Amino acid sequence: MDAREKLVKYHQEQLLKYFDELSEEERQELLKQIEALDFDVLAAFSKKHSGEETRGKITPLSALELPAIQARRDEYKRAGLDALKEGKVGAILLAGGMGTRLGSNAPKGVYNIGITRELYIFECIINNILDVVKETGTYIHLFVMTSELNDEDTKRFFKEKDYFNYPEEYVTFFKQEMAPCCDSAGKVLLEHKGKVATSPNGNGGWFLSLIKSGVIDKVKANGIEWLNVFAVDNVLQRICDPAFVGATIVEGKEVGAKVVRKNTPDERVGVMCLEDGHPSIVEYYELTDAMRDEKDEKGERVYNFGVILNYLFKVSSVEKIVNEKLPYHVVKKKIPYLDDKGNFVEPEEPNGYKFEQLVLDMIHLSENCLPFEVVREREFAPIKNKTGVDSVESARELLKKNGVEL
Ligand code: UTP
């Protein structure tokens, strides 16, 4: 379908409003961008606004808790170390987000959280991987997902910093897809007269992007069977943690999910559960009071383990679900755009919607999942904001407590 037909089909002809003012080159660029973009995402907007979004039946999914892990730690660790030494485990760093809450246009990983010395978020991640490399004597392939908006800056930074002493041949970058952004009436916005407003399409498309970019060939060629997928902003996380890898393998699961015990029953984290019998995540705002207070026979709350965006996926299982369409989540955000008069506006308040696929929906397509409890103070220091909760400040405190010199 050519660009004009596509715009008619999706009722988005406003995107050619300034077409006559563009040079021939700019026109071709705009048409090419329209042809490449997936306008099917807009169906998620209609669904949200017609109240058609529904969830299946939510029931508890018990986690492998710390005492149970401790009791079998040696066995789990051995299995994990074997897989790592055989090169069967790779790591996927999700670094395609825009990090808007941190308030910088640069990739989040280049943020310097050091106080008396330089210590970058990417550096923390590499240091954490190096801990396992030291333990196993084997380098781990790291695949870094970027987006069109931060790909060049991310690659340049790694080069400038000499990959923080990680061997360059073990670091591979791949780009995720972009999705159009729309206003509150569902009309796609223009960023410039010759460019549609877009944003990275969420972290859930990592496997498809791995395939589209051809980087999956490198995964296969290296015999990687498991991929540890994790967020850029948790500076304390253990990557390719042998006990976690081993537990997922020994317990015969397709997916492992690191979880932490909630601080309070009302903490704003997504919680592992079953949805229609499949592993899933229920968001804090979806938890009813009854679910929040539901207890098991030991008197423990059953929706008590929050996810920290650190998952282990079995490659062969993900390949089976790759043709399933992940749903798009509609997120209200500030979107710079061209107004009716052709003026560029940078809004102070959310003015439109972005479309994102989420890793947690991949979990739901899996047959089973092992929630694996970790100690929050040792493994969870996310940096989402400049100050306050989940911020540079709180992460610094946690890093210090764990003996990291700042
Ligand atoms: P967040 O949901 O915290 O989003 O991402 P963000 O874009 O980094 O930050 P805000 O919301 O704009 O402040 C969680 C993880 O998923 C990655 C992020 O880089 C982070 O590691 N992510 C998010 C992607 O890789 N791609 C995306 O499109 C979105």
Side-chain angles (χ1 to χ4, degrees), residues 94-101 145 176 200 202-203 231-232 309 333 384:
L94 301 171
M98 293 174 71
T100 40
R101 283 170 284 174
M145 183 166 87
Q176 69 173 103
N203 54 31
V232 69
L309 225 177
K333 290 268 177 163
K384 301 285 182 193

Side-chain angles (χ1 to χ4, degrees), residues 150-176:
N150 65 17
D151 184 66
E152 271 179 38
D153 289 347
T154 305
K155 286 180 183 161
R156 193 177 330 111
F157 185 74
F158 267 91
K159 232 185 167 56
E160 251 172 48
K161 301 293 175 193
D162 206 12
Y163 292 78
F164 300 106
N165 297 326
Y166 209 73
E168 192 179 337
E169 64 274 25
Y170 279 87
V171 183
T172 310
F173 299 90
F174 67 103
K175 269 195 262 180
Q176 69 173 103

Side-chain angles (χ1 to χ4, degrees), residues 93-103 108-109 125 145-147 150 176-178 199-206 230-234 237 309 331 333 354-359 383-385:
L93 164 55
L94 301 171
M98 293 174 71
T100 40
R101 283 170 284 174
L102 200 54
K108 214 183 220 182
I125 286 170
M145 183 166 87
T146 62
S147 85
N150 65 17
Q176 69 173 103
E177 316 296 306
M178 303 293 281
S199 68
N201 71 341
N203 54 31
W206 67 269
F230 61 96
V232 69
D233 44 37
N234 177 8
Q237 69 194 312
L309 225 177
V331 198
K333 290 268 177 163
K354 289 184 177 178
F355 296 88
E356 295 195 343
Q357 291 182 321
L358 303 179
V359 176
I383 299 179
K384 301 285 182 193
N385 308 297

Side-chain angles (χ1 to χ4, degrees), residues 5 28 38 54 94 97 116 123 166 191 247 265 301 316 330 335 339 343 359 369 374 382 405:
E5 283 169 356
Q28 290 312 318
D38 179 6
T54 48
L94 301 171
T116 59
E123 186 175 5
Y166 209 73
E191 186 180 310
R301 288 179 199 273
S316 59
V330 186
I335 297 159
D339 69 10
N343 300 314
V359 176
C369 173
V374 297
E405 192 196 317

Side-chain angles (χ1 to χ4, degrees), residues 282-294 303:
V282 53
E283 294 295 348
Y284 68 90
Y285 51 81
E286 296 173 311
L287 266 192
T288 60
D289 289 353
M291 285 163 80
R292 187 196 57 197
D293 296 331
E294 194 176 327
Y303 296 101

